[in-house]
Amino acid sequence: MSELVIIGSERSEAGIPAAMEILRRGGSALDAVERGLQLCEDNLADHYVGTGGLPNARGIVELDASIMVGSTRAFGAVAAVKDFPNPISIARAVLEKLPQHAFLVGEGAEAFADYLGFTRAELLTPEAKELWLAQLKTVPSESIEGENTKATTGDERYRMAALELVTRMSPHDGPWGTINIIAMDKSGEIVCGVSTSGYPYKHPGRVGDSAVPGAGNYSDIRYGAAACTGRGELALRSGTSRTVVENMRSGMTPEDACFAALQEARALPDDFRAELRCLALTPDGRHGGAAGMEGSTYTLMTENSTEPEFRPRKALI
Ligand code: GLY
């Protein structure tokens, strides 16, 4: 019998205690991950996932989510989904009820959710709308100083590009962060789930790494599971989650495996560079994480935990 372990990214503590309770009662890692992420998606104070997520360049919330089972490497994902508050549950339904496919996007994913009876809801909360509008009015620091219009960081460059995009696209008057949860149940099954509203101000239809197997999510019961948060384009280009799992396969600790995968992603040229983070869990219950900056943590609960603990991630400096 395996020990019960759940790890998650920053802000996953909104869902991990309930997920652990499911495992303690003998429930599956699949149930635990889905429930944990549902609670995160329903957390209105979290503006990077589910209801209350920050919208795209047109002011519309589009959600991505995926779930992967380590023993079969079965994968279910949805991307660019509007109007449904729990994309992780639609992703699970793709995995279980649509075995001939693994990944649905946009209207097709929404039609599938309608067919299964999922309830539609307004995802753009007044607070998220206000944050979205406030950011649009923010001018990057170098422009404020009047030196030139070249932004200093990837985030600032991204915002400037997004602002330009919104100006062009909008006909009306008008530390982001995905959530990862990885759970191991009593049978030793390892399930990895990821949910996000994606990059704020993204181009409509943009899909990041969260819904893409090998990029933002990967689970293989032989070696372990890994997931990413942060700049999804880098994880897409470098296959970061799969790289972490391959690194663990070659004998690295979870922390070193994450660190090496992030180093590989960091070597890619990227004008819009922003932080990428990852975390990983092995079949024998070891875990670790790495991040592009100091001070990042991941969340941990084991069978005997009374509350979530926060563990440091190794920083790329
Ligand atoms: N990592 C989430 C995203 O880039 O959408």
Side-chain angles (χ1 to χ4, degrees), residues 16-40:
I16 283 186
M20 179 50 77
E21 206 38 51
I22 289 172
L23 295 187
R24 285 191 185 119
R25 287 199 228 107
S28 69
L30 197 56
D31 284 344
V33 167
E34 182 190 10
R35 184 65 191 136
L37 283 171
Q38 279 174 346
L39 290 168
C40 296

Side-chain angles (χ1 to χ4, degrees), residues 12-13 72 208 267:
S12 64
E13 60 275 15
T72 55

Side-chain angles (χ1 to χ4, degrees), residues 2 31 39 47-48 50 99 111 138 178 218 259 263 266 272 288 291 317:
S2 294
D31 284 344
L39 290 168
H47 295 299
Y48 302 98
T138 308
T178 300
Y218 202 72
F259 189 84
Q263 274 182 318
R266 190 165 67 172
F272 298 99
I317 40 172

Side-chain angles (χ1 to χ4, degrees), residues 133-149:
L133 290 171
Q135 280 270 35
L136 285 181
K137 291 175 197 148
T138 308
V139 182
S141 52
E142 281 200 14
S143 309
I144 291 170
E145 288 158 18
E147 301 259 318
N148 54 52
T149 54

Side-chain angles (χ1 to χ4, degrees), residues 150-171:
K150 191 170 172 290
T152 53
T153 70
D155 273 339
E156 285 182 338
R157 281 169 189 262
Y158 181 88
R159 192 186 307 154
M160 288 176 77
L163 184 57
E164 196 273 329
L165 177 74
V166 172
T167 311
R168 257 192 303 118
M169 293 186 65
S170 173

Side-chain angles (χ1 to χ4, degrees), residues 112-285:
F112 178 65
D114 276 333
Y115 172 75
L116 292 177
F118 283 89
T119 307
R120 287 180 181 256
E122 174 58 70
L123 304 183
L124 184 62
T125 59
E127 191 179 297
K129 188 173 179 182
E130 218 168 277
L131 283 170
W132 183 78
L133 290 171
Q135 280 270 35
L136 285 181
K137 291 175 197 148
T138 308
V139 182
S141 52
E142 281 200 14
S143 309
I144 291 170
E145 288 158 18
E147 301 259 318
N148 54 52
T149 54
K150 191 170 172 290
T152 53
T153 70
D155 273 339
E156 285 182 338
R157 281 169 189 262
Y158 181 88
R159 192 186 307 154
M160 288 176 77
L163 184 57
E164 196 273 329
L165 177 74
V166 172
T167 311
R168 257 192 303 118
M169 293 186 65
S170 173
H172 51 80
D173 52 351
W176 54 301
T178 300
I179 295 191
N180 314 141
I181 295 183
I182 306 175
M184 182 161 65
D185 63 25
K186 279 200 168 72
S187 74
E189 183 64 89
I190 302 178
V191 173
C192 183
V194 182
S195 187
T196 191
S197 50
Y199 236 106
Y201 311 98
K202 63 190 175 186
H203 193 290
R206 176 266 188 188
V207 175
D209 60 323
S210 302
V212 178
N217 180 343
Y218 202 72
S219 182
D220 181 334
I221 204 170
R222 297 172 297 177
Y223 316 114
C228 298
T229 60
R231 179 150 168 76
E233 281 73 7
L234 283 175
L236 281 167
R237 290 165 65 198
S238 67
T240 303
S241 293
R242 179 78 194 259
T243 302
V244 173
V245 172
E246 284 299 313
N247 289 345
M248 295 193 295
R249 178 185 188 172
S250 71
M252 287 188 195
T253 64
E255 183 178 272
D256 289 346
C258 288
F259 189 84
L262 289 192
Q263 274 182 318
E264 205 175 306
R266 190 165 67 172
L268 297 171
D270 182 14
D271 273 356
F272 298 99
R273 181 173 300 286
E275 204 198 353
L276 186 63
R277 302 175 186 197
C278 54
L279 47 80
L281 175 68
T282 61
D284 59 3

